[in-house]
Amino acid sequence: MRSLSMSRLAAMIVLVLCVSSASAASDGVAAGTLTPQEIVARAQAAAGGETWVHPRTLLMRGHAVFYTPQGPERHERYEMWRVYPAQKGAAHAADGKVRIESWHEGKRVRLVTFDGQRSYTMDGPQPPSEADRQWSENFGFGVIRFALEPGFRLERLADDTVEGRAVHVVRITDPSGQATTFSMAQDDFAILRLGFDTPRGWHERLYSDFFRKPGVSWVQPGRVRLYYAGVIQNEIFWTDFELDQPMTDDRFVVPAARRAPNPALFVARDADSTMYLFGTLHVLKPGDAWSTPAIESALTRSEEIWTEVELSPVGMAGAQRLMRERGMAPDDEPLSGRLTPEQAQRLDATLRTYGLSRQSVERMRPWLAGLTLSLAPVMRAGYDPAAGVDRGVGAMGGVQGKKMRALETAEQQVDLLAGLSEPLQMQMLLGSIDEAARGVTMVDALAAAWSQGDLETLAGLVNDDMRRTYPELFEVVFVRRNEAWVATLLQELEGSGTDFVAVGAGHLLGAEGLVERLRAEGVRVERVGRVGDPSH
């Protein structure tokens, strides 16, 4: 395949010589005086021209060899999916979208993805600091596609050789100051080597065995060898590629690995009373597990079960009716009348994304429209309020014949939202427009943290963020309601018996949460299953 491409290149040169031998001769004489911009431009043209510089997507297939202390390990299947970015500011940071996976002896053993915002491994979402380090050791080649754009600095370094072939060497510094060095063959301007500094030492890649597909200008290296600090780590043998094929977003997202749920459960006790405090999620995906033996035992022991509002079908139907009544504005106060033309365009774009029309929200007050837009992507991702933990607790209580009680009425809860100030309602609406696409990522993170009882992460995602971004809303939704609920729970503890209290997990957290407020009143509250908890 390489001899064919070389013969075609030779034929082209001959043709050019026939037309203008002086031009070709001039190129040969002036090779040593080419500017770095000219070298990069010729490298881009040799790699495939416009098709190569501005691809949309790329799928590559092949196999790989990883060099381990036990010896070479052959991976019979190695694949990469890539959605390219429209612009690049930092050479060694993740951009666009990418998924790389490797299979050994019939099993997938390596997986790393980036969905444009977050990175994942086989175990699910990856901590940002770990992901940034990983990508900084791997991203770098793509910067040459943008090197001729404003903001990039190019320097020609001393010529060199790569495996016996003479090369031009150009250092490309991106707008963020990160530098990457490229070595291009002097005869055909193929990119033979790149290098850049990483936390693991100097990283170098060697490219060879180039091939094309019929009718496609893209030139693909068939072999890529990766070195860190002078030691080969792995080499990839690409055998096929597909260019500009559609790729769905879910290709780049890896759900968190399924683990048995272990949400946080607290118990408050005095001389003759026991009260379990369980923080819930109001939405889950149908079929997701949420209960544990400790939760089921606590429910069984309890005589009364408390939830935020009445969860019976009649109660929920009443809540929906109230939402419609309090959440709708008069005909002469359309939602669009509260928006600037630019805000209305953003609203329409968000509505179209989730299959909604302007008419569906035009009569809504801003607070209800904001809630609707916030829930739309979450519902589309498979989450459902009907599968929420509160409903599950209520269902278990109904089966066991427990007395069901509510901390507040549906009317009180709806009135809290309907009574928000107009500026806050507009802030909620505009925030939901801008953040709708990130809503699923946020709920995924919340669900993962909640399922494993990670209260620190939950507090950061919910309480701390809302306190900082929406202080008025935090005061109304958390602080005032918690104050009222604590008074009710303290009165209940004055009696005797066992109660189970299930409220949104955010209500248990932080200094304003039910746990700390009860402790401040002298009630002994401990987390079930932790050292020092007398119930286990």
Side-chain angles (χ1 to χ4, degrees), residues 308-360:
E308 293 184 23
V309 295
E310 183 186 350
L311 296 176
S312 69
V314 172
M316 297 311 297
Q320 291 174 3
R321 176 181 53 78
L322 286 168
M323 291 281 280
R324 290 192 297 270
E325 290 177 358
R326 310 288 169 85
M328 293 298 178
D331 291 340
D332 59 353
E333 296 181 17
L335 186 66
S336 57
R338 306 170 188 264
L339 303 174
T340 66
E342 186 271 337
Q343 290 169 344
Q345 288 180 353
R346 285 160 46 201
L347 171 63
D348 288 340
T350 302
L351 289 168
R352 285 194 300 270
T353 299
Y354 300 105
L356 301 174
S357 66
R358 168 79 74 85
Q359 191 61 33
S360 67

Short mmCIF file of all heavy atoms in Angstrom, two decimals, residues 308-360:
data_model
loop_
_atom_site.label_atom_id
_atom_site.label_comp_id
_atom_site.label_asym_id
_atom_site.label_seq_id
_atom_site.Cartn_x
_atom_site.Cartn_y
_atom_site.Cartn_z
N GLU A 308 -42.59 13.93 53.53
CA GLU A 308 -42.75 15.39 53.43
C GLU A 308 -44.21 15.76 53.24
O GLU A 308 -44.73 16.67 53.90
CB GLU A 308 -41.91 15.93 52.26
CG GLU A 308 -40.41 15.81 52.49
CD GLU A 308 -39.61 16.46 51.36
OE1 GLU A 308 -40.17 17.34 50.68
OE2 GLU A 308 -38.44 16.08 51.18
N VAL A 309 -44.88 15.09 52.28
CA VAL A 309 -46.29 15.34 52.02
C VAL A 309 -47.01 14.00 51.89
O VAL A 309 -46.38 12.95 51.83
CB VAL A 309 -46.50 16.16 50.72
CG1 VAL A 309 -45.91 17.56 50.85
CG2 VAL A 309 -45.91 15.44 49.53
N GLU A 310 -48.32 14.05 51.84
CA GLU A 310 -49.10 12.82 51.68
C GLU A 310 -48.81 12.20 50.31
O GLU A 310 -48.91 12.87 49.27
CB GLU A 310 -50.59 13.14 51.80
CG GLU A 310 -51.48 11.91 51.71
CD GLU A 310 -52.95 12.27 51.69
OE1 GLU A 310 -53.29 13.45 51.92
OE2 GLU A 310 -53.77 11.36 51.42
N LEU A 311 -48.46 10.91 50.30
CA LEU A 311 -48.04 10.25 49.07
C LEU A 311 -49.12 9.35 48.47
O LEU A 311 -48.86 8.63 47.51
CB LEU A 311 -46.77 9.42 49.34
CG LEU A 311 -45.53 10.21 49.73
CD1 LEU A 311 -44.38 9.28 50.05
CD2 LEU A 311 -45.13 11.20 48.64
N SER A 312 -50.30 9.36 49.02
CA SER A 312 -51.37 8.54 48.46
C SER A 312 -51.75 9.05 47.08
O SER A 312 -51.47 10.21 46.74
CB SER A 312 -52.60 8.58 49.37
OG SER A 312 -53.18 9.87 49.33
N PRO A 313 -52.40 8.24 46.24
CA PRO A 313 -52.84 8.72 44.92
C PRO A 313 -53.69 9.97 45.01
O PRO A 313 -53.56 10.89 44.19
CB PRO A 313 -53.63 7.53 44.37
CG PRO A 313 -53.01 6.33 45.03
CD PRO A 313 -52.65 6.79 46.42
N VAL A 314 -54.55 10.02 46.02
CA VAL A 314 -55.41 11.21 46.19
C VAL A 314 -54.55 12.42 46.54
O VAL A 314 -54.74 13.52 46.00
CB VAL A 314 -56.45 10.96 47.29
CG1 VAL A 314 -57.21 12.25 47.60
CG2 VAL A 314 -57.42 9.86 46.87
N GLY A 315 -53.58 12.21 47.43
CA GLY A 315 -52.71 13.31 47.83
C GLY A 315 -51.88 13.83 46.68
O GLY A 315 -51.71 15.05 46.50
N MET A 316 -51.33 12.93 45.85
CA MET A 316 -50.50 13.34 44.73
C MET A 316 -51.33 14.04 43.65
O MET A 316 -50.89 15.00 43.02
CB MET A 316 -49.76 12.15 44.15
CG MET A 316 -48.78 11.49 45.13
SD MET A 316 -47.67 12.66 45.95
CE MET A 316 -46.76 13.31 44.56
N ALA A 317 -52.55 13.55 43.45
CA ALA A 317 -53.43 14.20 42.48
C ALA A 317 -53.76 15.62 42.93
O ALA A 317 -53.79 16.57 42.12
CB ALA A 317 -54.71 13.39 42.30
N GLY A 318 -53.97 15.79 44.22
CA GLY A 318 -54.24 17.12 44.75
C GLY A 318 -53.04 18.04 44.59
O GLY A 318 -53.19 19.23 44.28
N ALA A 319 -51.84 17.50 44.78
CA ALA A 319 -50.62 18.30 44.62
C ALA A 319 -50.47 18.77 43.18
O ALA A 319 -50.12 19.93 42.91
CB ALA A 319 -49.40 17.49 45.05
N GLN A 320 -50.76 17.88 42.23
CA GLN A 320 -50.66 18.26 40.81
C GLN A 320 -51.68 19.33 40.46
O GLN A 320 -51.39 20.26 39.69
CB GLN A 320 -50.85 17.02 39.95
CG GLN A 320 -49.70 16.02 40.06
CD GLN A 320 -49.98 14.73 39.32
OE1 GLN A 320 -51.02 14.59 38.67
NE2 GLN A 320 -49.06 13.78 39.41
N ARG A 321 -52.87 19.22 41.02
CA ARG A 321 -53.91 20.23 40.77
C ARG A 321 -53.45 21.59 41.31
O ARG A 321 -53.60 22.62 40.63
CB ARG A 321 -55.22 19.81 41.43
CG ARG A 321 -56.33 20.83 41.31
CD ARG A 321 -57.60 20.36 42.00
NE ARG A 321 -57.36 19.97 43.39
CZ ARG A 321 -57.22 20.84 44.40
NH1 ARG A 321 -57.30 22.16 44.16
NH2 ARG A 321 -57.03 20.41 45.63
N LEU A 322 -52.87 21.58 42.49
CA LEU A 322 -52.39 22.84 43.07
C LEU A 322 -51.26 23.44 42.25
O LEU A 322 -51.18 24.66 42.09
CB LEU A 322 -51.92 22.59 44.51
CG LEU A 322 -53.01 22.37 45.55
CD1 LEU A 322 -52.41 21.85 46.85
CD2 LEU A 322 -53.78 23.67 45.80
N MET A 323 -50.38 22.59 41.72
CA MET A 323 -49.29 23.09 40.89
C MET A 323 -49.84 23.81 39.67
O MET A 323 -49.35 24.88 39.28
CB MET A 323 -48.39 21.93 40.45
CG MET A 323 -47.57 21.30 41.55
SD MET A 323 -46.09 22.24 41.98
CE MET A 323 -44.99 21.73 40.68
N ARG A 324 -50.88 23.24 39.08
CA ARG A 324 -51.48 23.88 37.90
C ARG A 324 -52.16 25.19 38.27
O ARG A 324 -52.06 26.19 37.56
CB ARG A 324 -52.48 22.93 37.24
CG ARG A 324 -51.83 21.73 36.55
CD ARG A 324 -52.85 21.00 35.68
NE ARG A 324 -53.95 20.44 36.46
CZ ARG A 324 -53.95 19.23 36.99
NH1 ARG A 324 -52.90 18.44 36.82
NH2 ARG A 324 -55.00 18.78 37.66
N GLU A 325 -52.84 25.19 39.41
CA GLU A 325 -53.57 26.39 39.81
C GLU A 325 -52.62 27.53 40.17
O GLU A 325 -52.79 28.67 39.73
CB GLU A 325 -54.47 26.07 41.01
CG GLU A 325 -55.65 25.18 40.68
CD GLU A 325 -56.46 24.86 41.92
OE1 GLU A 325 -56.05 25.31 43.03
OE2 GLU A 325 -57.49 24.17 41.81
N ARG A 326 -51.63 27.23 40.99
CA ARG A 326 -50.73 28.28 41.48
C ARG A 326 -49.61 28.59 40.50
O ARG A 326 -48.98 29.64 40.61
CB ARG A 326 -50.12 27.85 42.82
CG ARG A 326 -51.13 27.37 43.85
CD ARG A 326 -51.96 28.51 44.42
NE ARG A 326 -53.08 28.01 45.21
CZ ARG A 326 -53.00 27.67 46.50
NH1 ARG A 326 -51.84 27.76 47.13
NH2 ARG A 326 -54.08 27.25 47.14
N GLY A 327 -49.36 27.66 39.58
CA GLY A 327 -48.24 27.84 38.67
C GLY A 327 -48.59 28.49 37.35
O GLY A 327 -47.70 28.72 36.52
N MET A 328 -49.88 28.77 37.11
CA MET A 328 -50.30 29.36 35.85
C MET A 328 -50.58 30.85 36.02
O MET A 328 -51.17 31.28 37.00
CB MET A 328 -51.55 28.66 35.31
CG MET A 328 -51.29 27.21 34.90
SD MET A 328 -50.08 27.09 33.56
CE MET A 328 -49.98 25.31 33.39
N ALA A 329 -50.15 31.62 35.03
CA ALA A 329 -50.36 33.07 35.04
C ALA A 329 -51.60 33.42 34.23
O ALA A 329 -52.09 32.62 33.43
CB ALA A 329 -49.13 33.77 34.46
N PRO A 330 -52.14 34.61 34.40
CA PRO A 330 -53.28 35.04 33.57
C PRO A 330 -52.90 35.06 32.09
O PRO A 330 -51.72 35.15 31.74
CB PRO A 330 -53.58 36.46 34.10
CG PRO A 330 -53.00 36.48 35.48
CD PRO A 330 -51.80 35.60 35.44
N ASP A 331 -53.90 35.00 31.24
CA ASP A 331 -53.67 34.98 29.79
C ASP A 331 -52.88 36.19 29.31
O ASP A 331 -52.14 36.11 28.33
CB ASP A 331 -54.99 34.90 29.03
CG ASP A 331 -55.68 33.56 29.22
OD1 ASP A 331 -54.98 32.59 29.59
OD2 ASP A 331 -56.90 33.48 29.00
N ASP A 332 -53.05 37.33 29.98
CA ASP A 332 -52.37 38.54 29.53
C ASP A 332 -50.97 38.69 30.13
O ASP A 332 -50.37 39.76 30.03
CB ASP A 332 -53.22 39.78 29.85
CG ASP A 332 -53.49 39.93 31.34
OD1 ASP A 332 -53.15 39.00 32.10
OD2 ASP A 332 -54.06 40.98 31.73
N GLU A 333 -50.46 37.64 30.78
CA GLU A 333 -49.09 37.67 31.33
C GLU A 333 -48.30 36.46 30.80
O GLU A 333 -47.88 35.59 31.56
CB GLU A 333 -49.12 37.64 32.85
CG GLU A 333 -49.78 38.85 33.48
CD GLU A 333 -49.78 38.79 34.99
OE1 GLU A 333 -48.99 37.98 35.56
OE2 GLU A 333 -50.56 39.53 35.62
N PRO A 334 -48.09 36.37 29.48
CA PRO A 334 -47.36 35.22 28.93
C PRO A 334 -45.90 35.21 29.40
O PRO A 334 -45.32 36.25 29.70
CB PRO A 334 -47.44 35.45 27.42
CG PRO A 334 -47.57 36.94 27.28
CD PRO A 334 -48.42 37.36 28.45
N LEU A 335 -45.36 34.02 29.46
CA LEU A 335 -43.97 33.88 29.89
C LEU A 335 -43.02 34.66 28.99
O LEU A 335 -42.07 35.29 29.47
CB LEU A 335 -43.58 32.39 29.90
CG LEU A 335 -42.20 32.05 30.47
CD1 LEU A 335 -42.15 32.35 31.96
CD2 LEU A 335 -41.87 30.59 30.22
N SER A 336 -43.28 34.63 27.68
CA SER A 336 -42.39 35.32 26.74
C SER A 336 -42.36 36.82 27.00
O SER A 336 -41.37 37.48 26.67
CB SER A 336 -42.82 35.05 25.30
OG SER A 336 -44.17 35.44 25.10
N GLY A 337 -43.42 37.36 27.59
CA GLY A 337 -43.45 38.79 27.89
C GLY A 337 -42.47 39.19 28.98
O GLY A 337 -42.18 40.38 29.14
N ARG A 338 -41.98 38.23 29.73
CA ARG A 338 -41.02 38.51 30.79
C ARG A 338 -39.58 38.40 30.30
O ARG A 338 -38.65 38.65 31.07
CB ARG A 338 -41.22 37.54 31.95
CG ARG A 338 -42.64 37.48 32.51
CD ARG A 338 -42.77 36.33 33.48
NE ARG A 338 -44.15 36.10 33.91
CZ ARG A 338 -44.68 36.58 35.02
NH1 ARG A 338 -43.94 37.34 35.81
NH2 ARG A 338 -45.93 36.33 35.34
N LEU A 339 -39.40 37.97 29.04
CA LEU A 339 -38.06 37.67 28.52
C LEU A 339 -37.63 38.68 27.48
O LEU A 339 -38.45 39.23 26.74
CB LEU A 339 -38.05 36.27 27.90
CG LEU A 339 -38.47 35.10 28.79
CD1 LEU A 339 -38.55 33.82 27.98
CD2 LEU A 339 -37.50 34.94 29.96
N THR A 340 -36.33 38.89 27.41
CA THR A 340 -35.78 39.68 26.31
C THR A 340 -35.80 38.80 25.05
O THR A 340 -35.92 37.57 25.14
CB THR A 340 -34.33 40.10 26.61
OG1 THR A 340 -33.51 38.93 26.64
CG2 THR A 340 -34.25 40.83 27.94
N PRO A 341 -35.67 39.39 23.86
CA PRO A 341 -35.62 38.57 22.64
C PRO A 341 -34.52 37.51 22.69
O PRO A 341 -34.74 36.37 22.26
CB PRO A 341 -35.36 39.60 21.54
CG PRO A 341 -35.97 40.86 22.06
CD PRO A 341 -35.72 40.85 23.54
N GLU A 342 -33.37 37.87 23.23
CA GLU A 342 -32.27 36.89 23.30
C GLU A 342 -32.61 35.77 24.27
O GLU A 342 -32.34 34.60 24.01
CB GLU A 342 -30.99 37.62 23.74
CG GLU A 342 -29.73 36.76 23.71
CD GLU A 342 -29.49 36.01 25.02
OE1 GLU A 342 -30.01 36.47 26.06
OE2 GLU A 342 -28.80 34.97 25.00
N GLN A 343 -33.23 36.09 25.40
CA GLN A 343 -33.63 35.06 26.37
C GLN A 343 -34.71 34.16 25.78
O GLN A 343 -34.70 32.95 26.00
CB GLN A 343 -34.14 35.74 27.65
CG GLN A 343 -33.05 36.42 28.45
CD GLN A 343 -33.61 37.29 29.56
OE1 GLN A 343 -34.81 37.63 29.57
NE2 GLN A 343 -32.76 37.67 30.51
N ALA A 344 -35.64 34.76 25.01
CA ALA A 344 -36.69 33.96 24.38
C ALA A 344 -36.11 32.99 23.37
O ALA A 344 -36.58 31.84 23.25
CB ALA A 344 -37.70 34.89 23.70
N GLN A 345 -35.09 33.39 22.64
CA GLN A 345 -34.43 32.48 21.69
C GLN A 345 -33.77 31.33 22.42
O GLN A 345 -33.86 30.17 21.98
CB GLN A 345 -33.39 33.25 20.87
CG GLN A 345 -33.99 34.21 19.85
CD GLN A 345 -32.92 34.93 19.06
OE1 GLN A 345 -31.73 34.82 19.33
NE2 GLN A 345 -33.34 35.68 18.05
N ARG A 346 -33.12 31.62 23.54
CA ARG A 346 -32.49 30.55 24.33
C ARG A 346 -33.54 29.59 24.87
O ARG A 346 -33.35 28.37 24.90
CB ARG A 346 -31.67 31.15 25.46
CG ARG A 346 -30.35 31.76 24.99
CD ARG A 346 -29.78 32.76 25.97
NE ARG A 346 -29.81 32.30 27.36
CZ ARG A 346 -29.75 33.11 28.41
NH1 ARG A 346 -29.71 34.43 28.24
NH2 ARG A 346 -29.74 32.63 29.63
N LEU A 347 -34.69 30.15 25.32
CA LEU A 347 -35.77 29.30 25.81
C LEU A 347 -36.27 28.38 24.71
O LEU A 347 -36.43 27.17 24.92
CB LEU A 347 -36.92 30.18 26.33
CG LEU A 347 -38.22 29.44 26.67
CD1 LEU A 347 -38.00 28.47 27.82
CD2 LEU A 347 -39.33 30.44 27.01
N ASP A 348 -36.52 28.93 23.52
CA ASP A 348 -37.02 28.12 22.41
C ASP A 348 -36.04 27.02 22.05
O ASP A 348 -36.45 25.89 21.76
CB ASP A 348 -37.30 29.01 21.19
CG ASP A 348 -38.53 29.89 21.38
OD1 ASP A 348 -39.36 29.55 22.25
OD2 ASP A 348 -38.65 30.90 20.68
N ALA A 349 -34.76 27.33 22.04
CA ALA A 349 -33.75 26.33 21.69
C ALA A 349 -33.74 25.19 22.70
O ALA A 349 -33.67 24.01 22.34
CB ALA A 349 -32.37 26.98 21.61
N THR A 350 -33.87 25.53 23.99
CA THR A 350 -33.90 24.50 25.03
C THR A 350 -35.17 23.66 24.91
O THR A 350 -35.12 22.42 25.04
CB THR A 350 -33.81 25.14 26.42
OG1 THR A 350 -32.61 25.91 26.50
CG2 THR A 350 -33.80 24.08 27.51
N LEU A 351 -36.30 24.30 24.67
CA LEU A 351 -37.56 23.57 24.52
C LEU A 351 -37.48 22.60 23.36
O LEU A 351 -37.91 21.43 23.47
CB LEU A 351 -38.71 24.55 24.31
CG LEU A 351 -39.13 25.40 25.52
CD1 LEU A 351 -40.07 26.51 25.10
CD2 LEU A 351 -39.78 24.52 26.60
N ARG A 352 -36.94 23.03 22.23
CA ARG A 352 -36.84 22.15 21.06
C ARG A 352 -35.97 20.95 21.36
O ARG A 352 -36.24 19.82 20.91
CB ARG A 352 -36.27 22.92 19.87
CG ARG A 352 -37.27 23.87 19.21
CD ARG A 352 -36.76 24.32 17.85
NE ARG A 352 -35.49 25.02 17.96
CZ ARG A 352 -35.37 26.34 18.13
NH1 ARG A 352 -36.47 27.09 18.23
NH2 ARG A 352 -34.18 26.91 18.20
N THR A 353 -34.91 21.16 22.13
CA THR A 353 -34.00 20.06 22.46
C THR A 353 -34.74 18.92 23.14
O THR A 353 -34.42 17.75 22.93
CB THR A 353 -32.87 20.57 23.37
OG1 THR A 353 -32.13 21.57 22.67
CG2 THR A 353 -31.93 19.43 23.77
N TYR A 354 -35.74 19.26 23.95
CA TYR A 354 -36.43 18.23 24.73
C TYR A 354 -37.86 17.98 24.24
O TYR A 354 -38.70 17.46 24.97
CB TYR A 354 -36.41 18.61 26.21
CG TYR A 354 -34.98 18.72 26.69
CD1 TYR A 354 -34.40 19.96 26.93
CD2 TYR A 354 -34.19 17.58 26.83
CE1 TYR A 354 -33.08 20.06 27.32
CE2 TYR A 354 -32.88 17.68 27.21
CZ TYR A 354 -32.32 18.91 27.46
OH TYR A 354 -31.00 19.00 27.82
N GLY A 355 -38.11 18.36 22.98
CA GLY A 355 -39.39 18.03 22.37
C GLY A 355 -40.57 18.79 22.93
O GLY A 355 -41.71 18.33 22.85
N LEU A 356 -40.32 19.98 23.48
CA LEU A 356 -41.39 20.80 24.04
C LEU A 356 -41.63 22.02 23.14
O LEU A 356 -40.75 22.41 22.37
CB LEU A 356 -41.03 21.27 25.45
CG LEU A 356 -40.76 20.17 26.48
CD1 LEU A 356 -40.26 20.77 27.79
CD2 LEU A 356 -42.03 19.35 26.74
N SER A 357 -42.80 22.60 23.25
CA SER A 357 -43.13 23.77 22.46
C SER A 357 -43.21 24.99 23.36
O SER A 357 -43.39 24.88 24.58
CB SER A 357 -44.47 23.58 21.75
OG SER A 357 -45.52 23.51 22.70
N ARG A 358 -43.10 26.16 22.75
CA ARG A 358 -43.27 27.40 23.51
C ARG A 358 -44.65 27.43 24.16
O ARG A 358 -44.82 27.88 25.29
CB ARG A 358 -43.07 28.60 22.58
CG ARG A 358 -43.51 29.95 23.17
CD ARG A 358 -42.49 30.51 24.12
NE ARG A 358 -41.36 31.02 23.38
CZ ARG A 358 -41.29 32.24 22.83
NH1 ARG A 358 -42.30 33.07 22.96
NH2 ARG A 358 -40.21 32.62 22.17
N GLN A 359 -45.66 26.93 23.44
CA GLN A 359 -47.03 26.96 23.93
C GLN A 359 -47.17 26.17 25.23
O GLN A 359 -48.00 26.52 26.08
CB GLN A 359 -47.98 26.41 22.87
CG GLN A 359 -49.46 26.64 23.17
CD GLN A 359 -49.82 28.12 23.26
OE1 GLN A 359 -49.23 28.94 22.56
NE2 GLN A 359 -50.77 28.46 24.13
N SER A 360 -46.37 25.12 25.38
CA SER A 360 -46.49 24.27 26.57
C SER A 360 -46.09 24.98 27.85
O SER A 360 -46.50 24.57 28.94
CB SER A 360 -45.65 23.00 26.40
OG SER A 360 -44.27 23.31 26.38
#
